[in-house]
Amino acid sequence: MPSLKWAVLAASASLLVACGGSNEGTPNGAIAYNPATGDAAIYVNATTEGQARSEAVRNCGTTACDVVLTFSGDGVCGAIALSANGVIGVAKDDSDAEAEVGAVTNCQAKGGSSCYIPAAVRGDCNG
């Protein structure tokens, strides 16, 4: 019976590789945010999640920025909403407008007051 388990594992691993078990070639995005300054940045169409993360932090302006959302897939969009009382919301969806609505809703659900999408960091999409 142990050899059957190994055969199933080997077949599963082969299938995972054959079906694209990695996200190589899939566009990736990330949003970084600095709670101390309120600065935020979004980066889309990176070749890897790591690149999306590092570019979002770099574009945010300081290493004090934290990645608050990652998203991958062609046409997948991300957004961040900020609030007057320091609460943030993030969301990903199939359009930038839907992601922005989701981010505002997420912000409000967490107790954010007057949640808004910052003009400098509008929702953006891969692809």
Side-chain angles (χ1 to χ4, degrees), residues 9-37:
L9 283 173
S12 298
S14 297
L15 183 60
L16 182 63
V17 171
C19 292
S22 75
N23 68 350
E24 188 174 321
T26 300
N28 292 272
I31 298 175
Y33 173 69
N34 183 335
T37 64

Side-chain angles (χ1 to χ4, degrees), residues 31-107:
I31 298 175
Y33 173 69
N34 183 335
T37 64
D39 292 333
I42 187 169
Y43 191 86
V44 295
N45 295 319
T47 56
T48 66
E49 181 182 320
Q51 178 192 19
R53 287 173 163 276
S54 64
E55 290 296 328
V57 168
R58 186 178 66 78
N59 291 340
C60 186
T62 174
T63 56
C65 293
D66 294 317
V67 174
V68 293
L69 179 71
T70 60
F71 50 100
S72 67
D74 194 32
V76 177
C77 311
I80 185 170
L82 309 179
S83 71
N85 60 336
V87 174
I88 68 162
V90 294
K92 55 186 170 183
D93 214 313
D94 293 333
S95 76
D96 54 354
E98 290 171 348
E100 288 180 356
V101 168
V104 169
T105 300
N106 180 256
C107 177

